């Protein structure tokens, strides 16, 4: 019993020491120009957070989310292929993809996909 407690304590001590050493060694103390520059969001990290930002970033994020969710909705269509009739499967798939393509056309027509400064 004493050997199990001491070995568990030893393992805990070694793992804690390794985590502290890796934390100390991995810290970077210098500020890099690339690290402090805006990254894909358009915000300057050194300026006031109350400044207005470009609406284009928001539109691109929403479009990405819409088409990212599309993939999550298309994957189950593959699994229902086995249990549904083939013409019904193609009808539902075609209808779903047509709605997405019409939405993409609308976004393109409205100019949301053009990156203008």
């Amino acid at each position: 019993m004493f050997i199990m407690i001491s070995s568990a304590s030893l393992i805990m001590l070694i793992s804690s020491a390794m985590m502290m050493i890796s934390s100390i060694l991995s810290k970077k103390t210098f500020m890099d120009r690339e690290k402090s520059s805006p990254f894909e969001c358009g915000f300057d990290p050194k300026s006031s957070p109350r400044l207005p930002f470009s609406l284009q970033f928001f539109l691109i994020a929403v479009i990405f989310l819409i088409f990212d969710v599309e993939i999550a909705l298309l994957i189950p269509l593959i699994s229902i292929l086995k249990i549904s009739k083939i013409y019904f499967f193609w009808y539902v798939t075609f209808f779903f993809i047509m709605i997405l393509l019409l939405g993409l056309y609308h976004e393109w027509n409205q100019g949301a996909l053009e990156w203008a400064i």
Side-chain angles (χ1 to χ4, degrees):
M1 180 78 173
F2 180 69
I3 294 174
M4 288 180 134
I5 293 173
S6 67
S7 65
S9 300
L10 184 63
I11 290 172
M12 183 69 90
L13 182 68
I14 290 173
S15 63
S16 297
M18 287 176 64
M19 284 190 280
M20 284 195 299
I21 290 171
S22 66
S23 175
I24 291 169
L25 291 177
S26 69
K27 286 191 177 180
K28 296 180 179 168
T29 57
F30 61 90
M31 287 298 293
D32 191 9
R33 185 176 69 91
E34 294 295 324
K35 295 289 183 183
S36 63
S37 66
F39 178 71
E40 291 185 10
C41 65
F43 294 114
D44 187 12
K46 304 233 189 274
S47 67
S48 173
R50 300 279 180 196
L51 294 176
F53 65 97
S54 173
L55 198 59
Q56 192 72 27
F57 291 109
F58 176 73
L59 289 174
I60 295 296
V62 168
I63 291 169
F64 171 76
L65 286 176
I66 289 171
F67 289 103
D68 191 40
V69 170
E70 165 203 351
I71 299 300
L73 294 174
L74 280 175
I75 290 175
L77 285 176
I78 298 168
S79 63
I80 67 165
L81 178 62
K82 295 178 185 177
I83 60 174
S84 67
K85 296 188 167 123
I86 193 72
Y87 66 88
F88 180 71
F89 170 77
W90 285 114
Y91 176 73
V92 169
T93 305
F94 178 76
F95 186 68
F96 182 72
I97 290 176
M98 285 309 297
I99 289 174
L100 288 170
L101 287 176
L102 285 172
L104 180 64
Y105 174 74
H106 176 71
E107 293 292 331
W108 189 5
N109 196 19
Q110 294 295 318
L113 300 178
E114 294 176 13
W115 192 266
I117 297 176

